[in-house]
Amino acid sequence: MDAVQISHVTRTFGDVTAVDDLSLTVPEGSIYGFIGPNGSGKTTTMRMIVNIFYPDRGEIRLFGEGTPQNSTDLIGYLPEERGLYQKMTVRALLEFYGELRSGRNVKREVESWLEKLDLAARAADKVETFSKGMSQKVQFIAAVIPEPKLLILDEPFSGLDPVSAEAIRSAILDLRRRGVTVILSTHDMNLAETMCDYIFMIFRGRKVLDGTLSSIQDQYGDDTIRVSTPGGFPAVEHLPGVEQIRDLGQVQELRLARGTDPQEVLRTLLAQARVTGFSLTKPSLHDIFMRIAGPAAAEVNHAHA
Amino acid sequence: MRMHKVLTIGKRDYIATVRTKAFLFGLVVAPVIFGGGSIAMSFFKSKPDLNDRHIAIIDRTGVVADALVNAAKAKNERELFDKKTHQQIVPRYVFEVIAPDGDSKDQLLALSGRVRRKEVAAFLDIGKDALLPQKPVEEEQPFGSATKTDPATRVSYYTNAGGIDELRGWLTGPINDGVRLARLARLGVDIKSNTGLMATVPVEGLSLVERDEKTGEIREARKRSELEGFFVPFAVAMILAMIVMVGSAPMLQNVTQDKSQRVVETLLGAATPLELMSGKVLGAVGVSVTSSLLYVVAGVLAVNALGIAGLLPLSIIPWFYAYLLADVVMLCAYAAALGACCSTPQDAQNLAIVLLMPCLIPMFMLVTVLRQPNGAMATVMSLVPPFTPILMLLRQANTEGVPAWQPWVGLAGVSLFAAATVWAASRIFRVAILMQGKPPKLTEMARWAWRG
């Protein structure tokens, strides 16, 4: 069964169309990554699934025939704009959110999650005494108590240190193993590549990518090579047949012009530098993102407009 | 609407509010603000200025001053000292009779100088024809006097005392007694052997006579004081207004704070806007009922302690609570809608006065309504839903009572209005709660309430 089925949904705010005729299917038990530039419509889409915004047109179905209106108890939601009652203790706050969603006592789950995210020792402290990272962990727990069928996380890793990020990442994967469907938005393309089963990109309110990472990469072909040379970026700067270079520091990612033979590029490179690494790859998600929404794409789009 | 969500939100808000110092402070401070004036007045009344009050009299009739001097003597003997403690409790009145010098303006100026130098508290100028009936005149009056009567028939009282002048209030009686006695004497009445001519007859205020329902006997009317007619309804209405304001005012800040602290979106992920707003209103109702219990219990104990328990019509307590609930629900929903439109606590502060209007307007009308509790204006205004709770309760607490249908119609009106407010406010709340930036205009709010 599909956890979420969005059919031809449009949502406008005054003259601005935030989401334009969007259709999307999220399979149950998957992790679905929402990517897109700021203001592209990710949060609006999530808010419509959570029933905070209502679509102007189209419909959203959850777990078959459910609607956002009658399914809020099945959904855990971590909004992008984090906010907690500052004067409450962490334990009281989490019990409140859990009770609000489930209508039952959730003390046991609260203790278990506090333990899991290493917050048990601070459970009796007020939220106002917490750092940003710790508050974010608390907010994450608030979204997963009691365990939802669908977990929607709007940029769950922003502002987290690596240790906290790893704890949240591990908790998300654990929930997915238990059958929870996860939708998360992120600006971290590496994280989307490694964590998500499916990736959906929205740009200016319209869907521009949707599928598994490999299916998306297949759409863009094998036009990317990665090379390492002791000379770094200057060594590859003027290679013929290279359309764009992305300098990653120790590695340079080269996008080849249509019809260019990678072997020819390698030969030219070997003739002018010592090559310590060479691999033929599919374009990264970052590269694809930039092709769609980067400054160059904006120029093209502007020209087409 | 899922009631467990409403209850959970209401419970949290209730606990969060009653635990705050602001709530506890408000419980104490509100009665002090409302009742403090009268407490201060009674305190200062019990600490009067006991310096002698010297009053100069120019008696152009030649026969009234003696009556005033005698009346002051009698008053001093009667009231100067407390009969039990023998301590002086009121100032002594001392009259100084001054012969008119003919040129009244110079003499008046000189006496005014004495008042300014505080040698005398005031002076009286009794016109030469004061014993004659007052005659209206057309020409302009001296010293800008508004009274269009012949100056010679007037008694003029000159002073620079501010505020409530007890001396002037007391003088009216003895002056008129003196004038009337002089008139009687001129008519040949022997006033020396008829000492009781000016004795006053007390007018006793009584309630209506009624039949005892159990025994069938006609009960004697009981004594009525001004307290019963004014103080009790006034106090009951003020207590209601106070509790409603203490209960509903925090809602505006509460919602704005939830919005500015970004708590709202998390809550809206678990509850609909209507559930969220209803929960918040429920919490505020709980806060109001808590403070009302405190005030009502304290009020009942206070009237018992003062021995005026019979003046408090206990039958209005159910009405008090019915109006309280409707008023708090109405104002809290209104506050939630306004709060949702604010982005910062400053925005909320600016709107606080708008929120309190349904309480403040009837409070300004309390005295007017009490003067004629069943007049056309009192009746109409008490049936206007936002004002019904305070004004109808005020009228019901008055001994005159109101026609039986009016409280029911008023309650029905205010209940319907409260329900409509909740409905409209929830629509505004839903649209505005996630908006940031400039607060919306009134027309936009009206459009959201209409279209949702």
Side-chain angles (χ1 to χ4, degrees):
Chain A
M1 195 196 320
D2 293 324
V4 181
Q5 192 160 27
I6 299 173
S7 309
H8 302 289
V9 161
T10 297
R11 170 72 205 209
T12 56
F13 295 99
D15 299 333
V16 178
T17 303
V19 175
D20 190 2
D21 195 32
L22 174 67
S23 294
L24 187 73
T25 301
V26 178
E28 195 170 0
S30 63
I31 297 182
Y32 223 102
F34 281 23
I35 61 171
N38 291 328
S40 59
K42 300 186 297 292
T43 298
T44 302
T45 306
M46 288 181 161
R47 284 176 173 174
M48 286 193 287
I49 298 170
V50 184
N51 193 41
I52 292 174
F53 289 158
Y54 304 157
D56 297 328
R57 283 193 300 278
E59 85 174 357
I60 298 174
R61 292 282 165 195
L62 301 176
F63 301 103
E65 288 308 303
T67 62
Q69 284 86 345
N70 62 25
S71 306
T72 47
D73 291 349
L74 305 177
I75 305 173
Y77 177 49
L78 175 74
E80 181 191 4
E81 292 179 340
R82 322 271 194 256
L84 297 166
Y85 287 115
Q86 298 293 310
K87 299 285 178 193
M88 289 179 88
T89 65
V90 170
R91 183 179 282 120
L93 180 94
L94 292 173
E95 287 175 5
F96 162 67
Y97 280 125
E99 200 180 322
L100 181 62
R101 283 224 345 264
S102 67
R104 64 175 172 81
N105 191 312
V106 291
K107 283 181 193 292
R108 261 211 341 241
E109 288 107 307
V110 168
E111 296 306 325
S112 159
W113 273 102
L114 286 172
E115 201 69 50
K116 200 180 287 183
L117 291 188
D118 206 20
L119 290 172
R122 303 284 308 272
D125 292 350
K126 286 189 177 172
V127 174
E128 64 188 358
T129 65
F130 275 38
S131 67
K132 189 183 169 194
M134 288 167 94
S135 297
Q136 204 154 324
K137 281 192 198 175
V138 173
Q139 186 118 28
F140 177 80
I141 299 175
V144 296
I145 287 181
E147 192 167 296
K149 279 184 80 177
L150 172 62
L151 180 60
I152 297 181
L153 308 168
D154 200 351
E155 299 189 26
F157 300 101
S158 70
L160 284 180
D161 65 76
V163 176
S164 301
E166 190 48 44
I168 299 280
R169 179 190 174 95
S170 157
I172 293 170
L173 293 172
D174 191 34
L175 285 164
R176 198 271 298 268
R177 275 192 288 278
R178 298 213 296 264
V180 176
T181 308
V182 180
I183 292 175
L184 63 86
S185 71
T186 182
H187 290 300
D188 183 341
M189 297 300 116
N190 284 330
L191 185 133
E193 281 181 350
T194 55
M195 200 172 172
C196 300
D197 302 311
Y198 300 93
I199 290 160
F200 153 68
M201 181 172 172
I202 185 167
F203 183 54
R204 294 177 180 163
R206 298 191 74 95
K207 180 166 80 174
V208 288
L209 291 177
D210 184 18
T212 60
L213 178 62
S214 59
S215 71
I216 291 169
Q217 286 172 324
D218 284 346
Q219 290 172 35
Y220 283 82
D222 297 326
D223 63 353
T224 306
I225 57 174
R226 283 187 177 182
V227 296
S228 306
T229 62
F233 178 75
V236 299
E237 203 176 355
H238 301 295
L239 286 173
V242 173
E243 199 170 58
Q244 196 175 348
I245 303 168
R246 183 175 168 224
D247 187 9
L248 302 172
Q250 301 304 315
V251 177
Q252 284 73 46
E253 198 172 85
L254 316 180
R255 196 203 304 166
L256 306 182
R258 189 181 291 274
T260 304
D261 179 4
Q263 298 303 322
E264 190 58 38
V265 174
L266 178 59
R267 272 195 291 277
T268 311
L269 187 57
L270 280 168
Q272 61 189 52
R274 198 166 73 83
V275 177
T276 55
F278 184 92
S279 62
L280 188 58
T281 69
K282 291 183 175 177
S284 66
L285 193 57
H286 180 277
D287 189 27
I288 296 169
F289 187 102
M290 293 303 286
R291 289 188 203 185
I292 297 170
E299 281 170 27
V300 173
N301 289 333
H302 186 70
H304 281 271
Chain B
M1 192 156 60
R2 294 158 292 186
M3 280 316 290
H4 81 263
K5 291 184 190 274
V6 176
L7 289 171
T8 305
I9 293 166
K11 189 174 89 179
R12 195 217 74 86
D13 272 25
Y14 173 79
I15 292 170
T17 306
V18 297
R19 277 186 181 169
T20 58
K21 286 178 192 144
F23 174 75
L24 298 172
F25 188 67
L27 271 188
V28 178
V29 166
V32 169
I33 290 171
F34 286 110
S38 52
I39 292 167
M41 270 170 62
S42 60
F43 175 77
F44 288 116
K45 206 172 174 183
S46 67
K47 306 272 180 205
D49 176 8
L50 297 177
N51 291 322
D52 288 353
R53 299 277 195 283
H54 290 267
I55 306 108
I57 310 174
I58 307 167
D59 182 8
R60 298 179 202 277
T61 66
V63 291
V64 178
D66 282 351
L68 275 176
V69 172
N70 291 336
K73 261 188 201 165
K75 179 185 184 300
N76 291 339
E77 281 168 17
R78 199 173 56 243
E79 297 173 6
L80 202 60
F81 298 103
D82 184 282
K83 288 189 175 58
K84 286 180 187 166
T85 64
H86 304 294
Q87 283 192 331
Q88 187 178 345
I89 52 172
V90 292
R92 186 195 311 270
Y93 287 170
V94 182
F95 284 92
E96 180 188 339
V97 182
I98 294 173
D101 72 354
D103 184 351
S104 63
K105 282 192 179 175
D106 283 348
Q107 191 174 29
L108 294 178
L109 187 65
L111 282 169
S112 295
R114 288 185 65 190
V115 174
R116 288 192 189 97
R117 291 192 298 275
K118 299 194 184 306
E119 292 168 12
V120 291
F123 65 93
L124 282 168
D125 183 1
I126 304 171
K128 69 179 170 58
D129 295 331
L131 301 185
L132 301 175
Q134 296 278 308
K135 285 186 291 184
V137 289
E138 291 302 320
E139 69 270 22
E140 197 181 334
Q141 300 302 299
F143 304 108
S145 168
T147 317
K148 289 196 171 181
T149 51
D150 181 352
T153 64
R154 277 206 303 255
V155 176
S156 302
Y157 174 79
Y158 297 84
T159 186
N160 58 0
I164 298 167
D165 187 355
E166 286 184 359
L167 173 60
R168 184 183 175 183
W170 175 80
L171 277 170
T172 309
I175 288 172
N176 279 289
D177 284 355
V179 168
R180 288 179 194 129
L181 284 171
R183 286 174 184 161
L184 290 170
R186 279 190 179 178
L187 293 170
V189 178
D190 181 6
I191 55 172
K192 284 191 178 160
S193 51
N194 292 288
T195 51
L197 280 175
M198 288 296 121
T200 54
V201 180
V203 178
E204 190 178 32
L206 293 171
S207 70
L208 296 179
V209 175
E210 55 192 346
R211 190 183 290 280
D212 190 318
E213 284 178 9
K214 286 180 186 167
T215 62
E217 287 178 10
I218 296 173
R219 279 195 296 224
E220 278 196 26
R222 57 187 172 77
K223 283 186 183 177
R224 274 186 67 193
S225 65
E226 277 189 36
L227 270 180
E228 202 172 351
F230 182 84
F231 176 75
V232 171
F234 188 82
V236 168
M238 288 296 271
I239 288 172
L240 177 69
M242 193 167 67
I243 295 168
V244 170
M245 286 196 279
V246 167
S248 56
M251 174 66 94
L252 189 61
Q253 293 288 345
N254 184 333
V255 172
T256 309
Q257 204 172 22
D258 282 6
K259 188 176 170 181
S260 63
Q261 290 184 355
R262 318 280 186 195
V263 178
V264 166
E265 194 168 354
T266 310
L267 295 174
L268 287 177
T272 62
L274 183 61
E275 287 164 349
L276 177 56
M277 204 190 75
S278 303
K280 287 191 164 296
V281 170
L282 183 69
V285 168
V287 170
S288 299
V289 170
T290 303
S291 45
S292 74
L293 285 174
L294 200 91
Y295 290 135
V296 168
V297 169
V300 170
L301 290 176
V303 294
N304 272 319
L306 293 168
I308 52 171
L311 302 185
L312 187 69
L314 295 177
S315 60
I316 65 158
I317 289 181
W319 286 104
F320 177 92
Y321 275 99
Y323 291 136
L324 173 72
L325 292 179
D327 213 8
V328 172
V329 168
M330 182 173 69
L331 276 190
C332 283
Y334 179 35
L338 287 179
C341 297
C342 300
S343 296
T344 63
Q346 284 74 22
D347 293 342
Q349 270 174 8
N350 295 340
L351 287 176
I353 192 75
V354 180
L355 169 69
L356 295 178
M357 279 299 168
C359 276
L360 294 176
I361 292 171
M363 279 167 69
F364 291 134
M365 298 173 66
L366 291 183
V367 175
T368 314
V369 171
L370 274 175
R371 280 201 183 124
Q372 282 191 304
N374 279 313
M377 195 194 77
T379 305
V380 169
M381 292 306 284
S382 66
L383 289 171
V384 175
F387 311 143
T388 297
I390 293 171
L391 293 183
M392 190 64 84
L393 191 73
L394 179 78
R395 294 176 60 217
Q396 284 176 262
N398 191 285
T399 45
E400 199 176 320
V402 295
W405 61 270
Q406 288 189 11
W408 290 106
V409 170
L411 186 61
V414 79
S415 301
L416 284 173
F417 192 77
T421 308
V422 170
W423 175 81
S426 73
R427 292 163 79 88
I428 296 171
F429 186 87
R430 186 172 74 77
V431 179
I433 194 69
L434 291 176
M435 291 180 101
Q436 294 292 340
K438 206 176 152 194
K441 291 176 187 162
L442 204 63
T443 47
E444 280 177 298
M445 290 169 70
R447 199 176 64 237
W448 295 338
W450 182 249
R451 292 185 189 167

